[in-house]
Amino acid sequence: GVDQDQDVDSNKVEVKIVRVLYALEFPLLGAKMIYFLRGYTASGFLINMIIQVLHDMTTFLLIIGIVTASFAGSFFLLQTEQGSFYEDEDTSALDVLYQTYVILLGETEIPESFLGGWIRILFIIYTVFNLIVMLNLLIAVISDTFDRVQDSADQARNVELLR
């Protein structure tokens, strides 16, 4: 009875852990495959570009993360005053942070709790700042990185061939 139920629950947990580890392994395998493609002329330049863009974006990602978390905190405080964020359930701060992040990615289904009072004003400020100002800044950062990497493409290609 009880021991068998515990064994079944233990096996379910072990299977879930193994699935999560396998799920994490696939992106790592992809990254390793991309790493080996750096030595080829056709792909080395693009992979170097990706690495440089990710490096140059770190400060940008920090700023956009802070802005998103700050607005999510405001949305959470204001939406709990107006009612539930999602219908028929309580909302956690993580739910609101996730929804705020998804809006940054272009989600068009806005929760009704974002559509009233002060939250609407903050929502407009958030979308204008992040979707217009910050994403244009991101384009400028990537463009600058592209120009810089393009200028040193021959040198970078030789370095990748030596690795």
Side-chain angles (χ1 to χ4, degrees), residues 71-100:
F71 275 93
S74 296
F75 294 150
F76 179 71
L77 289 174
L78 290 174
Q79 68 85 29
T80 51
E81 174 186 288
Q82 296 176 8
S84 180
F85 189 74
Y86 298 107
E87 295 175 17
D88 302 329
E89 65 181 71
D90 293 328
T91 304
S92 71
L94 286 177
D95 292 332
V96 177
L97 178 61
Y98 174 75
Q99 184 63 40
T100 306

Side-chain angles (χ1 to χ4, degrees), residues 113-149:
S113 63
F114 274 26
L115 302 178
W118 284 102
I119 201 165
R120 177 178 284 178
I121 294 168
L122 280 175
F123 176 76
I124 291 169
I125 293 169
Y126 170 74
T127 54
V128 166
F129 183 75
N130 272 350
L131 295 177
I132 296 172
V133 176
M134 292 302 286
L135 291 181
N136 278 314
L137 179 62
L138 177 61
I139 292 168
V141 166
I142 292 172
S143 178
D144 182 51
T145 301
F146 180 81
D147 290 341
R148 193 177 69 249
V149 171

Side-chain angles (χ1 to χ4, degrees), residues 15-59:
V15 168
K16 189 173 185 174
I17 290 171
V18 169
R19 281 188 169 188
V20 168
L21 290 175
Y22 280 147
L24 293 173
E25 186 176 1
F26 280 106
L28 293 174
L29 270 169
K32 192 166 193 159
M33 289 171 60
I34 289 171
Y35 174 80
F36 288 119
L37 289 174
R38 291 183 342 166
Y40 295 101
T41 305
S43 57
F45 173 75
L46 292 175
I47 293 167
N48 186 40
M49 175 71 68
I50 292 169
I51 292 168
Q52 290 300 316
V53 165
L54 290 174
H55 180 266
D56 291 349
M57 281 178 40
T58 53
T59 304

